[in-house]
Structures are given as C-alpha cells and as structure tokens.
Amino acid sequence: MATDLMPRYADRLELGEGVRSVDGRVVLVDIPTGRLLAAPADPAAPLETVLRTGVPLGAVAPVAGRPGSWIAAAGTGICLLGPDGGTRWLARPEDDAPERMRMNDGSADPHGRFWAGSMAYDAVAGASSLYRVDRDGTVTRAVTGLTVPNGPAFSADGTLMYLADSVKGVVRRYPVDPASGELGTPQLFVTFSEGLPDGMTVDDEGALWVAVWGTGTVHRYRPDGVRSHLLRLPAAQPAGVCLHGDTLHVTSARGGLADPGPYDGAVFTARVEVPGPPAAAYRPL
C-alpha cells in the first residue's frame, strides 16, 4: 500500500484529535490524558504540553483578544481555560445524562461562536448532542439524537456546517443562519460504506477533508460531494485533520488497538495543492 502521509514527530498519542492551525502553529489534544499540545518547529523535538486539564479534553478554539486563552469541549461540558491554568465553566450539560458521557470534537465558526459535540463512552445510539456557544456565553443544545458527532467544519462564510455522525457513517451539511446561528434542515453529504468519518476541515476551495477512522485513509470531497483525493497513512485510526497553510496534519490513535503498530498514535503530515485557513476564534462579547 502506498503511503501519502508520513509521521512527523516521535510522540504517540492515545487519542490524538482536535488538531488546529492557531497563531502560526499547530495545536492538538490527546483526549483521555486531558492535554493540549503544540507541534514544535523541529520535528525531532517532542510535542510541547501547553496545558493539562483534569478531565478528558475533546477540542479547543482560541479566544480572540485573550492571548493564551482557550474555549474547550472538556469533561461533561464547555469551559474557558486561561493562560494561568484557571478554568471557568460555561455549562456542564452532560453531568446528569442517563449515560456516562464526555465531550468530543468542537470548533469555532467564522462568526465567533463555538460548537462542540458530546458522546457516550459506550457510543449509545442517539444519546449525544451538538452544542452551540454564542458570543455572550450562552450554551444551547442545537442538535439532538446523535451518536458520535465529529467536527463540525464550516464554509469560509460560515453559512454551511459539516457534521459527522461517525458510528452511523454519515456526514451531513447544515445551513447556518449567520446572525443567529440557528441551523436549517440538514442534507446528507457523504455516506461511508467502509470506516467511520471522524475529524474534518474545509480548504480554500470549499472542499472537505475527512479523517476516516479504521481505514488508514483521509478523503477530500468537493462541495458537490464527489471525492477528489484519497490519501493513505500507516496508522489504522486517523482521527483529526487540519490544514496549516498547504501542509495537511493528521492525528491518529493507539487506544483500542489490540496490537498497535509503530505509527499508530502518530501525527502525520503531507503537502497538498490547496491550502486552508487557520482555525477560527471564539469571539466573546
């Protein structure tokens, strides 16, 4: 099998996800260890620990105008993380859920809101939700009945949101009202017959890159839903993707594998033809 993406760093992560291009560097999370990490300029150096939380850390976005501050999908809710290590919870909506839950993937949209999904540890069908954090800090349950949501990823103008429901093997595309953040009726964008769609990002041509868990592949889909590229990597569980300029970064996971290979859990990179924008920031009022 030809390999298109090569491991860049020596680190191996349990569940590397939430990879983003932020302020000229690449950051990512190792979900079960609660660590936010930054990729060093020197690939021989280890990943830098930016901060640690005492709970699983699903994803972060930078907070505009507050250097070193992040909004995070963490534990059973959403919080603000300060540069001094302080934590301020905005909401913990999954605290009292009937299933054991944690937050999973999340991202900010071009209008300054933050979106994050929850999931049951046992991937109970329909137990999960997607939450929207408005600029005033209000947390709203925006989509219910999900199983393992990943993403979301947004078009450049913020009027389209792509959301994977991984276990169901689908990516849906939702219209987004720019003023209110309300979602319109979703359309099925891609269905996967092999593997599970996981982390996603949109490039400068509006195409969607998707890490496909269980297949060792990353796919690129044009806005019309036609696949234009399939890249391979020597890890079974690719989990997150981002574009840092014209360099594609892909995270992967070792967790859950009975016999992990030497590259499972690595971070991979490859040059691509179409670059992508940096991650959007959460912009509080």
Side-chain angles (χ1 to χ4, degrees):
M1 179 179 71
T3 299
D4 302 288
L5 288 131
M6 297 301 296
R8 184 166 175 84
Y9 309 102
D11 301 76
R12 301 292 183 263
L13 306 174
E14 282 299 300
L15 181 48
E17 286 215 34
V19 59
R20 306 285 184 263
S21 176
V22 177
D23 296 331
R25 63 177 180 170
V26 172
V27 300
L28 59 144
V29 302
D30 192 18
I31 291 179
T33 65
R35 293 182 298 158
L36 176 63
L37 305 164
D42 178 2
L47 296 172
E48 170 196 348
T49 298
V50 178
L51 57 83
R52 293 177 181 266
T53 63
V55 294
L57 179 60
V60 302
V63 179
R66 301 179 188 177
S69 295
W70 308 87
I71 188 169
T76 55
I78 296 160
C79 62
L80 295 170
L81 303 171
D84 59 354
T87 301
R88 181 165 72 87
W89 289 96
L90 298 179
R92 294 179 182 174
E94 300 293 358
D95 262 358
D96 299 321
E99 310 294 338
R100 183 169 173 251
M101 306 287 290
R102 69 165 174 84
M103 300 302 292
N104 196 43
D105 205 359
S107 62
D109 70 23
H111 301 286
R113 305 179 187 93
F114 183 68
W115 303 73
S118 64
M119 63 170 284
Y121 277 93
D122 294 333
V124 176
S128 304
S129 300
L130 179 73
Y131 296 93
R132 184 186 74 240
V133 185
D134 291 321
R135 295 181 61 194
D136 64 0
T138 301
V139 178
T140 301
R141 196 184 304 255
V143 182
T144 60
L146 303 168
T147 300
V148 179
N150 271 291
F154 294 89
S155 61
D157 63 2
T159 62
L160 293 174
M161 181 185 79
Y162 296 90
L163 183 68
D165 199 347
S166 298
V167 172
K168 294 182 180 178
V170 299
V171 175
R172 298 184 180 93
R173 183 164 61 189
Y174 293 75
V176 184
D177 184 291
S180 68
E182 293 295 320
L183 300 177
T185 302
Q187 293 182 330
L188 186 63
F189 181 67
V190 179
T191 299
F192 291 78
S193 59
E194 181 181 0
L196 308 177
D198 205 320
M200 304 183 293
T201 195
V202 176
D203 67 23
D204 286 347
E205 289 185 349
L208 182 72
W209 289 91
V210 185
V212 188
W213 180 278
T215 67
T217 64
V218 177
H219 300 185
R220 180 182 186 263
Y221 294 91
R222 299 191 319 231
D224 61 5
V226 173
R227 190 174 73 189
S228 64
H229 293 73
L230 185 153
L231 305 183
R232 301 186 183 276
L233 61 153
Q237 299 177 152
V241 292
C242 88
L243 287 160
H244 186 57
D246 64 355
T247 301
L248 181 71
H249 284 68
V250 181
T251 57
S252 66
R254 290 171 58 85
L257 294 174
D259 185 20
Y263 301 122
D264 288 306
V267 178
F268 299 85
T269 61
R271 296 291 290 273
V272 294
E273 295 177 1
V274 180
Y282 174 63
R283 301 200 303 270
L285 295 174

PDB file of all heavy atoms in Angstrom, residues 108-113 153-162 173-174 176 178 201-208 223 275-281 283:
ATOM      1  N   ALA A 108     -14.724  26.564  16.415  1.00  0.00           N
ATOM      2  CA  ALA A 108     -15.393  27.857  16.287  1.00  0.00           C
ATOM      3  C   ALA A 108     -15.800  28.078  14.840  1.00  0.00           C
ATOM      4  O   ALA A 108     -15.169  27.560  13.909  1.00  0.00           O
ATOM      5  CB  ALA A 108     -14.472  28.972  16.758  1.00  0.00           C
ATOM      6  N   ASP A 109     -16.870  28.844  14.643  1.00  0.00           N
ATOM      7  CA  ASP A 109     -17.282  29.181  13.281  1.00  0.00           C
ATOM      8  C   ASP A 109     -16.778  30.576  12.917  1.00  0.00           C
ATOM      9  O   ASP A 109     -16.261  31.316  13.772  1.00  0.00           O
ATOM     10  CB  ASP A 109     -18.801  29.051  13.127  1.00  0.00           C
ATOM     11  CG  ASP A 109     -19.603  30.110  13.878  1.00  0.00           C
ATOM     12  OD1 ASP A 109     -19.074  31.196  14.174  1.00  0.00           O
ATOM     13  OD2 ASP A 109     -20.792  29.849  14.178  1.00  0.00           O
ATOM     14  N   PRO A 110     -16.861  30.969  11.636  1.00  0.00           N
ATOM     15  CA  PRO A 110     -16.335  32.275  11.224  1.00  0.00           C
ATOM     16  C   PRO A 110     -17.028  33.471  11.859  1.00  0.00           C
ATOM     17  O   PRO A 110     -16.516  34.596  11.773  1.00  0.00           O
ATOM     18  CB  PRO A 110     -16.537  32.259   9.701  1.00  0.00           C
ATOM     19  CG  PRO A 110     -16.518  30.816   9.327  1.00  0.00           C
ATOM     20  CD  PRO A 110     -17.212  30.131  10.469  1.00  0.00           C
ATOM     21  N   HIS A 111     -18.178  33.259  12.518  1.00  0.00           N
ATOM     22  CA  HIS A 111     -18.898  34.356  13.170  1.00  0.00           C
ATOM     23  C   HIS A 111     -18.590  34.453  14.661  1.00  0.00           C
ATOM     24  O   HIS A 111     -19.206  35.261  15.364  1.00  0.00           O
ATOM     25  CB  HIS A 111     -20.402  34.191  12.944  1.00  0.00           C
ATOM     26  CG  HIS A 111     -20.768  34.184  11.490  1.00  0.00           C
ATOM     27  ND1 HIS A 111     -20.767  35.324  10.708  1.00  0.00           N
ATOM     28  CD2 HIS A 111     -21.102  33.154  10.662  1.00  0.00           C
ATOM     29  CE1 HIS A 111     -21.103  35.011   9.471  1.00  0.00           C
ATOM     30  NE2 HIS A 111     -21.308  33.706   9.412  1.00  0.00           N
ATOM     31  N   GLY A 112     -17.652  33.641  15.146  1.00  0.00           N
ATOM     32  CA  GLY A 112     -17.193  33.778  16.524  1.00  0.00           C
ATOM     33  C   GLY A 112     -17.909  32.925  17.538  1.00  0.00           C
ATOM     34  O   GLY A 112     -17.692  33.082  18.742  1.00  0.00           O
ATOM     35  N   ARG A 113     -18.768  31.999  17.079  1.00  0.00           N
ATOM     36  CA  ARG A 113     -19.400  31.057  18.005  1.00  0.00           C
ATOM     37  C   ARG A 113     -18.535  29.802  18.132  1.00  0.00           C
ATOM     38  O   ARG A 113     -17.700  29.521  17.282  1.00  0.00           O
ATOM     39  CB  ARG A 113     -20.795  30.671  17.508  1.00  0.00           C
ATOM     40  CG  ARG A 113     -21.708  31.859  17.244  1.00  0.00           C
ATOM     41  CD  ARG A 113     -23.056  31.379  16.720  1.00  0.00           C
ATOM     42  NE  ARG A 113     -23.884  32.506  16.302  1.00  0.00           N
ATOM     43  CZ  ARG A 113     -23.939  32.987  15.061  1.00  0.00           C
ATOM     44  NH1 ARG A 113     -23.218  32.421  14.103  1.00  0.00           N
ATOM     45  NH2 ARG A 113     -24.701  34.013  14.767  1.00  0.00           N
ATOM     46  N   ALA A 153     -17.179  21.320  10.835  1.00  0.00           N
ATOM     47  CA  ALA A 153     -16.318  22.147   9.990  1.00  0.00           C
ATOM     48  C   ALA A 153     -17.221  23.089   9.209  1.00  0.00           C
ATOM     49  O   ALA A 153     -18.360  22.731   8.876  1.00  0.00           O
ATOM     50  CB  ALA A 153     -15.503  21.274   9.041  1.00  0.00           C
ATOM     51  N   PHE A 154     -16.712  24.296   8.915  1.00  0.00           N
ATOM     52  CA  PHE A 154     -17.557  25.347   8.355  1.00  0.00           C
ATOM     53  C   PHE A 154     -17.004  25.869   7.030  1.00  0.00           C
ATOM     54  O   PHE A 154     -15.788  25.913   6.814  1.00  0.00           O
ATOM     55  CB  PHE A 154     -17.658  26.525   9.333  1.00  0.00           C
ATOM     56  CG  PHE A 154     -18.374  26.177  10.602  1.00  0.00           C
ATOM     57  CD1 PHE A 154     -17.683  25.677  11.697  1.00  0.00           C
ATOM     58  CD2 PHE A 154     -19.750  26.305  10.686  1.00  0.00           C
ATOM     59  CE1 PHE A 154     -18.339  25.334  12.865  1.00  0.00           C
ATOM     60  CE2 PHE A 154     -20.423  25.964  11.851  1.00  0.00           C
ATOM     61  CZ  PHE A 154     -19.713  25.474  12.938  1.00  0.00           C
ATOM     62  N   SER A 155     -17.922  26.290   6.166  1.00  0.00           N
ATOM     63  CA  SER A 155     -17.526  27.014   4.962  1.00  0.00           C
ATOM     64  C   SER A 155     -16.923  28.353   5.357  1.00  0.00           C
ATOM     65  O   SER A 155     -17.109  28.847   6.478  1.00  0.00           O
ATOM     66  CB  SER A 155     -18.733  27.228   4.044  1.00  0.00           C
ATOM     67  OG  SER A 155     -19.729  28.011   4.705  1.00  0.00           O
ATOM     68  N   ALA A 156     -16.197  28.971   4.422  1.00  0.00           N
ATOM     69  CA  ALA A 156     -15.474  30.213   4.734  1.00  0.00           C
ATOM     70  C   ALA A 156     -16.410  31.329   5.182  1.00  0.00           C
ATOM     71  O   ALA A 156     -16.034  32.158   6.022  1.00  0.00           O
ATOM     72  CB  ALA A 156     -14.671  30.657   3.517  1.00  0.00           C
ATOM     73  N   ASP A 157     -17.628  31.366   4.646  1.00  0.00           N
ATOM     74  CA  ASP A 157     -18.559  32.430   5.036  1.00  0.00           C
ATOM     75  C   ASP A 157     -19.435  32.028   6.224  1.00  0.00           C
ATOM     76  O   ASP A 157     -20.284  32.813   6.664  1.00  0.00           O
ATOM     77  CB  ASP A 157     -19.436  32.845   3.846  1.00  0.00           C
ATOM     78  CG  ASP A 157     -20.336  31.725   3.321  1.00  0.00           C
ATOM     79  OD1 ASP A 157     -20.318  30.606   3.902  1.00  0.00           O
ATOM     80  OD2 ASP A 157     -21.044  31.960   2.326  1.00  0.00           O
ATOM     81  N   GLY A 158     -19.238  30.824   6.737  1.00  0.00           N
ATOM     82  CA  GLY A 158     -19.972  30.398   7.925  1.00  0.00           C
ATOM     83  C   GLY A 158     -21.421  30.068   7.704  1.00  0.00           C
ATOM     84  O   GLY A 158     -22.171  29.894   8.667  1.00  0.00           O
ATOM     85  N   THR A 159     -21.849  29.925   6.454  1.00  0.00           N
ATOM     86  CA  THR A 159     -23.261  29.645   6.183  1.00  0.00           C
ATOM     87  C   THR A 159     -23.539  28.154   5.999  1.00  0.00           C
ATOM     88  O   THR A 159     -24.697  27.764   5.855  1.00  0.00           O
ATOM     89  CB  THR A 159     -23.745  30.393   4.938  1.00  0.00           C
ATOM     90  OG1 THR A 159     -22.991  29.949   3.797  1.00  0.00           O
ATOM     91  CG2 THR A 159     -23.570  31.900   5.117  1.00  0.00           C
ATOM     92  N   LEU A 160     -22.491  27.323   5.996  1.00  0.00           N
ATOM     93  CA  LEU A 160     -22.653  25.879   5.895  1.00  0.00           C
ATOM     94  C   LEU A 160     -21.831  25.203   6.986  1.00  0.00           C
ATOM     95  O   LEU A 160     -20.682  25.596   7.235  1.00  0.00           O
ATOM     96  CB  LEU A 160     -22.200  25.355   4.533  1.00  0.00           C
ATOM     97  CG  LEU A 160     -23.021  25.759   3.310  1.00  0.00           C
ATOM     98  CD1 LEU A 160     -22.332  25.277   2.046  1.00  0.00           C
ATOM     99  CD2 LEU A 160     -24.439  25.202   3.397  1.00  0.00           C
ATOM    100  N   MET A 161     -22.411  24.210   7.627  1.00  0.00           N
ATOM    101  CA  MET A 161     -21.719  23.426   8.644  1.00  0.00           C
ATOM    102  C   MET A 161     -21.751  21.955   8.253  1.00  0.00           C
ATOM    103  O   MET A 161     -22.809  21.412   7.917  1.00  0.00           O
ATOM    104  CB  MET A 161     -22.401  23.590  10.004  1.00  0.00           C
ATOM    105  CG  MET A 161     -21.731  22.816  11.132  1.00  0.00           C
ATOM    106  SD  MET A 161     -22.647  22.903  12.705  1.00  0.00           S
ATOM    107  CE  MET A 161     -23.945  21.682  12.403  1.00  0.00           C
ATOM    108  N   TYR A 162     -20.590  21.322   8.280  1.00  0.00           N
ATOM    109  CA  TYR A 162     -20.484  19.883   8.058  1.00  0.00           C
ATOM    110  C   TYR A 162     -20.337  19.196   9.411  1.00  0.00           C
ATOM    111  O   TYR A 162     -19.496  19.592  10.228  1.00  0.00           O
ATOM    112  CB  TYR A 162     -19.272  19.563   7.187  1.00  0.00           C
ATOM    113  CG  TYR A 162     -19.349  20.118   5.789  1.00  0.00           C
ATOM    114  CD1 TYR A 162     -18.853  21.388   5.492  1.00  0.00           C
ATOM    115  CD2 TYR A 162     -19.929  19.376   4.764  1.00  0.00           C
ATOM    116  CE1 TYR A 162     -18.921  21.900   4.207  1.00  0.00           C
ATOM    117  CE2 TYR A 162     -20.007  19.883   3.472  1.00  0.00           C
ATOM    118  CZ  TYR A 162     -19.499  21.143   3.197  1.00  0.00           C
ATOM    119  OH  TYR A 162     -19.575  21.653   1.924  1.00  0.00           O
ATOM    120  N   ARG A 173     -24.690  18.110   5.949  1.00  0.00           N
ATOM    121  CA  ARG A 173     -24.394  19.525   5.744  1.00  0.00           C
ATOM    122  C   ARG A 173     -25.628  20.341   6.141  1.00  0.00           C
ATOM    123  O   ARG A 173     -26.721  20.110   5.640  1.00  0.00           O
ATOM    124  CB  ARG A 173     -24.012  19.788   4.286  1.00  0.00           C
ATOM    125  CG  ARG A 173     -23.628  21.226   3.997  1.00  0.00           C
ATOM    126  CD  ARG A 173     -22.903  21.355   2.662  1.00  0.00           C
ATOM    127  NE  ARG A 173     -23.714  20.919   1.540  1.00  0.00           N
ATOM    128  CZ  ARG A 173     -23.243  20.777   0.293  1.00  0.00           C
ATOM    129  NH1 ARG A 173     -21.972  21.030   0.028  1.00  0.00           N
ATOM    130  NH2 ARG A 173     -24.044  20.379  -0.670  1.00  0.00           N
ATOM    131  N   TYR A 174     -25.402  21.292   7.048  1.00  0.00           N
ATOM    132  CA  TYR A 174     -26.492  22.109   7.591  1.00  0.00           C
ATOM    133  C   TYR A 174     -26.350  23.560   7.122  1.00  0.00           C
ATOM    134  O   TYR A 174     -25.252  24.142   7.214  1.00  0.00           O
ATOM    135  CB  TYR A 174     -26.426  22.144   9.117  1.00  0.00           C
ATOM    136  CG  TYR A 174     -26.696  20.856   9.835  1.00  0.00           C
ATOM    137  CD1 TYR A 174     -25.741  19.840   9.868  1.00  0.00           C
ATOM    138  CD2 TYR A 174     -27.884  20.656  10.539  1.00  0.00           C
ATOM    139  CE1 TYR A 174     -25.971  18.656  10.554  1.00  0.00           C
ATOM    140  CE2 TYR A 174     -28.124  19.475  11.239  1.00  0.00           C
ATOM    141  CZ  TYR A 174     -27.160  18.482  11.239  1.00  0.00           C
ATOM    142  OH  TYR A 174     -27.387  17.316  11.928  1.00  0.00           O
ATOM    143  N   VAL A 176     -26.556  27.408   7.995  1.00  0.00           N
ATOM    144  CA  VAL A 176     -26.392  28.139   9.251  1.00  0.00           C
ATOM    145  C   VAL A 176     -26.828  29.589   9.031  1.00  0.00           C
ATOM    146  O   VAL A 176     -26.351  30.248   8.101  1.00  0.00           O
ATOM    147  CB  VAL A 176     -24.934  28.124   9.743  1.00  0.00           C
ATOM    148  CG1 VAL A 176     -24.822  28.815  11.099  1.00  0.00           C
ATOM    149  CG2 VAL A 176     -24.398  26.703   9.810  1.00  0.00           C
ATOM    150  N   PRO A 178     -26.319  33.182   9.635  1.00  0.00           N
ATOM    151  CA  PRO A 178     -25.144  33.902  10.147  1.00  0.00           C
ATOM    152  C   PRO A 178     -25.452  34.774  11.355  1.00  0.00           C
ATOM    153  O   PRO A 178     -24.594  34.951  12.225  1.00  0.00           O
ATOM    154  CB  PRO A 178     -24.702  34.760   8.958  1.00  0.00           C
ATOM    155  CG  PRO A 178     -25.309  34.121   7.759  1.00  0.00           C
ATOM    156  CD  PRO A 178     -26.597  33.515   8.231  1.00  0.00           C
ATOM    157  N   THR A 201     -11.976  19.190   8.058  1.00  0.00           N
ATOM    158  CA  THR A 201     -11.637  20.591   7.851  1.00  0.00           C
ATOM    159  C   THR A 201     -11.970  20.971   6.419  1.00  0.00           C
ATOM    160  O   THR A 201     -12.046  20.103   5.540  1.00  0.00           O
ATOM    161  CB  THR A 201     -10.149  20.864   8.156  1.00  0.00           C
ATOM    162  OG1 THR A 201      -9.927  22.273   8.276  1.00  0.00           O
ATOM    163  CG2 THR A 201      -9.233  20.305   7.078  1.00  0.00           C
ATOM    164  N   VAL A 202     -12.176  22.272   6.180  1.00  0.00           N
ATOM    165  CA  VAL A 202     -12.534  22.784   4.853  1.00  0.00           C
ATOM    166  C   VAL A 202     -11.373  23.598   4.310  1.00  0.00           C
ATOM    167  O   VAL A 202     -10.789  24.430   5.024  1.00  0.00           O
ATOM    168  CB  VAL A 202     -13.809  23.641   4.929  1.00  0.00           C
ATOM    169  CG1 VAL A 202     -14.131  24.271   3.575  1.00  0.00           C
ATOM    170  CG2 VAL A 202     -14.989  22.804   5.414  1.00  0.00           C
ATOM    171  N   ASP A 203     -11.015  23.373   3.028  1.00  0.00           N
ATOM    172  CA  ASP A 203      -9.896  24.104   2.440  1.00  0.00           C
ATOM    173  C   ASP A 203     -10.377  25.346   1.696  1.00  0.00           C
ATOM    174  O   ASP A 203     -11.580  25.676   1.696  1.00  0.00           O
ATOM    175  CB  ASP A 203      -9.023  23.185   1.574  1.00  0.00           C
ATOM    176  CG  ASP A 203      -9.719  22.674   0.309  1.00  0.00           C
ATOM    177  OD1 ASP A 203     -10.682  23.309  -0.170  1.00  0.00           O
ATOM    178  OD2 ASP A 203      -9.275  21.622  -0.214  1.00  0.00           O
ATOM    179  N   ASP A 204      -9.438  26.044   1.049  1.00  0.00           N
ATOM    180  CA  ASP A 204      -9.752  27.324   0.422  1.00  0.00           C
ATOM    181  C   ASP A 204     -10.612  27.195  -0.832  1.00  0.00           C
ATOM    182  O   ASP A 204     -11.097  28.210  -1.344  1.00  0.00           O
ATOM    183  CB  ASP A 204      -8.463  28.072   0.080  1.00  0.00           C
ATOM    184  CG  ASP A 204      -7.780  28.660   1.307  1.00  0.00           C
ATOM    185  OD1 ASP A 204      -8.411  28.709   2.378  1.00  0.00           O
ATOM    186  OD2 ASP A 204      -6.599  29.075   1.191  1.00  0.00           O
ATOM    187  N   GLU A 205     -10.791  25.985  -1.343  1.00  0.00           N
ATOM    188  CA  GLU A 205     -11.713  25.765  -2.462  1.00  0.00           C
ATOM    189  C   GLU A 205     -13.072  25.267  -1.986  1.00  0.00           C
ATOM    190  O   GLU A 205     -13.921  24.907  -2.803  1.00  0.00           O
ATOM    191  CB  GLU A 205     -11.112  24.760  -3.450  1.00  0.00           C
ATOM    192  CG  GLU A 205      -9.938  25.334  -4.243  1.00  0.00           C
ATOM    193  CD  GLU A 205      -9.408  24.392  -5.311  1.00  0.00           C
ATOM    194  OE1 GLU A 205      -9.793  23.208  -5.323  1.00  0.00           O
ATOM    195  OE2 GLU A 205      -8.594  24.851  -6.140  1.00  0.00           O
ATOM    196  N   GLY A 206     -13.274  25.235  -0.654  1.00  0.00           N
ATOM    197  CA  GLY A 206     -14.542  24.774  -0.106  1.00  0.00           C
ATOM    198  C   GLY A 206     -14.674  23.272  -0.052  1.00  0.00           C
ATOM    199  O   GLY A 206     -15.761  22.755   0.226  1.00  0.00           O
ATOM    200  N   ALA A 207     -13.577  22.543  -0.306  1.00  0.00           N
ATOM    201  CA  ALA A 207     -13.611  21.088  -0.238  1.00  0.00           C
ATOM    202  C   ALA A 207     -13.422  20.627   1.204  1.00  0.00           C
ATOM    203  O   ALA A 207     -12.750  21.289   2.006  1.00  0.00           O
ATOM    204  CB  ALA A 207     -12.535  20.481  -1.127  1.00  0.00           C
ATOM    205  N   LEU A 208     -14.015  19.477   1.519  1.00  0.00           N
ATOM    206  CA  LEU A 208     -13.994  18.931   2.874  1.00  0.00           C
ATOM    207  C   LEU A 208     -13.011  17.780   2.955  1.00  0.00           C
ATOM    208  O   LEU A 208     -13.116  16.796   2.223  1.00  0.00           O
ATOM    209  CB  LEU A 208     -15.396  18.437   3.250  1.00  0.00           C
ATOM    210  CG  LEU A 208     -15.556  17.883   4.665  1.00  0.00           C
ATOM    211  CD1 LEU A 208     -15.507  19.011   5.691  1.00  0.00           C
ATOM    212  CD2 LEU A 208     -16.869  17.092   4.786  1.00  0.00           C
ATOM    213  N   PRO A 223     -17.283  20.384  -2.974  1.00  0.00           N
ATOM    214  CA  PRO A 223     -18.585  20.827  -2.445  1.00  0.00           C
ATOM    215  C   PRO A 223     -19.787  20.091  -3.029  1.00  0.00           C
ATOM    216  O   PRO A 223     -20.859  20.080  -2.409  1.00  0.00           O
ATOM    217  CB  PRO A 223     -18.617  22.317  -2.804  1.00  0.00           C
ATOM    218  CG  PRO A 223     -17.177  22.724  -2.843  1.00  0.00           C
ATOM    219  CD  PRO A 223     -16.456  21.537  -3.412  1.00  0.00           C
ATOM    220  N   PRO A 275      -4.364  25.127  -0.040  1.00  0.00           N
ATOM    221  CA  PRO A 275      -4.197  25.401   1.393  1.00  0.00           C
ATOM    222  C   PRO A 275      -5.538  25.591   2.086  1.00  0.00           C
ATOM    223  O   PRO A 275      -6.605  25.564   1.449  1.00  0.00           O
ATOM    224  CB  PRO A 275      -3.378  26.690   1.414  1.00  0.00           C
ATOM    225  CG  PRO A 275      -3.768  27.384   0.143  1.00  0.00           C
ATOM    226  CD  PRO A 275      -4.003  26.290  -0.866  1.00  0.00           C
ATOM    227  N   GLY A 276      -5.460  25.798   3.384  1.00  0.00           N
ATOM    228  CA  GLY A 276      -6.658  26.058   4.166  1.00  0.00           C
ATOM    229  C   GLY A 276      -6.426  27.201   5.134  1.00  0.00           C
ATOM    230  O   GLY A 276      -5.278  27.534   5.448  1.00  0.00           O
ATOM    231  N   PRO A 277      -7.489  27.793   5.656  1.00  0.00           N
ATOM    232  CA  PRO A 277      -7.357  28.918   6.566  1.00  0.00           C
ATOM    233  C   PRO A 277      -7.010  28.435   7.981  1.00  0.00           C
ATOM    234  O   PRO A 277      -7.223  27.258   8.318  1.00  0.00           O
ATOM    235  CB  PRO A 277      -8.743  29.543   6.546  1.00  0.00           C
ATOM    236  CG  PRO A 277      -9.648  28.372   6.311  1.00  0.00           C
ATOM    237  CD  PRO A 277      -8.903  27.454   5.387  1.00  0.00           C
ATOM    238  N   PRO A 278      -6.474  29.312   8.828  1.00  0.00           N
ATOM    239  CA  PRO A 278      -6.291  28.953  10.229  1.00  0.00           C
ATOM    240  C   PRO A 278      -7.625  28.761  10.920  1.00  0.00           C
ATOM    241  O   PRO A 278      -8.683  29.167  10.404  1.00  0.00           O
ATOM    242  CB  PRO A 278      -5.526  30.146  10.807  1.00  0.00           C
ATOM    243  CG  PRO A 278      -5.835  31.277   9.883  1.00  0.00           C
ATOM    244  CD  PRO A 278      -6.023  30.677   8.529  1.00  0.00           C
ATOM    245  N   ALA A 279      -7.586  28.162  12.093  1.00  0.00           N
ATOM    246  CA  ALA A 279      -8.802  27.925  12.851  1.00  0.00           C
ATOM    247  C   ALA A 279      -9.445  29.253  13.261  1.00  0.00           C
ATOM    248  O   ALA A 279      -8.764  30.214  13.597  1.00  0.00           O
ATOM    249  CB  ALA A 279      -8.491  27.114  14.099  1.00  0.00           C
ATOM    250  N   ALA A 280     -10.760  29.286  13.190  1.00  0.00           N
ATOM    251  CA  ALA A 280     -11.494  30.472  13.650  1.00  0.00           C
ATOM    252  C   ALA A 280     -11.406  30.559  15.177  1.00  0.00           C
ATOM    253  O   ALA A 280     -11.202  29.560  15.863  1.00  0.00           O
ATOM    254  CB  ALA A 280     -12.945  30.391  13.214  1.00  0.00           C
ATOM    255  N   ALA A 281     -11.563  31.769  15.692  1.00  0.00           N
ATOM    256  CA  ALA A 281     -11.515  32.011  17.125  1.00  0.00           C
ATOM    257  C   ALA A 281     -12.936  32.210  17.672  1.00  0.00           C
ATOM    258  O   ALA A 281     -13.840  32.674  16.972  1.00  0.00           O
ATOM    259  CB  ALA A 281     -10.679  33.241  17.439  1.00  0.00           C
ATOM    260  N   ARG A 283     -15.198  34.497  19.761  1.00  0.00           N
ATOM    261  CA  ARG A 283     -15.115  35.947  19.973  1.00  0.00           C
ATOM    262  C   ARG A 283     -16.173  36.359  20.999  1.00  0.00           C
ATOM    263  O   ARG A 283     -17.315  36.703  20.631  1.00  0.00           O
ATOM    264  CB  ARG A 283     -15.299  36.701  18.654  1.00  0.00           C
ATOM    265  CG  ARG A 283     -14.265  36.351  17.584  1.00  0.00           C
ATOM    266  CD  ARG A 283     -14.156  37.416  16.517  1.00  0.00           C
ATOM    267  NE  ARG A 283     -15.408  37.693  15.862  1.00  0.00           N
ATOM    268  CZ  ARG A 283     -15.870  37.070  14.770  1.00  0.00           C
ATOM    269  NH1 ARG A 283     -15.145  36.096  14.238  1.00  0.00           N
ATOM    270  NH2 ARG A 283     -17.011  37.404  14.217  1.00  0.00           N
TER     271      ARG A 283
END
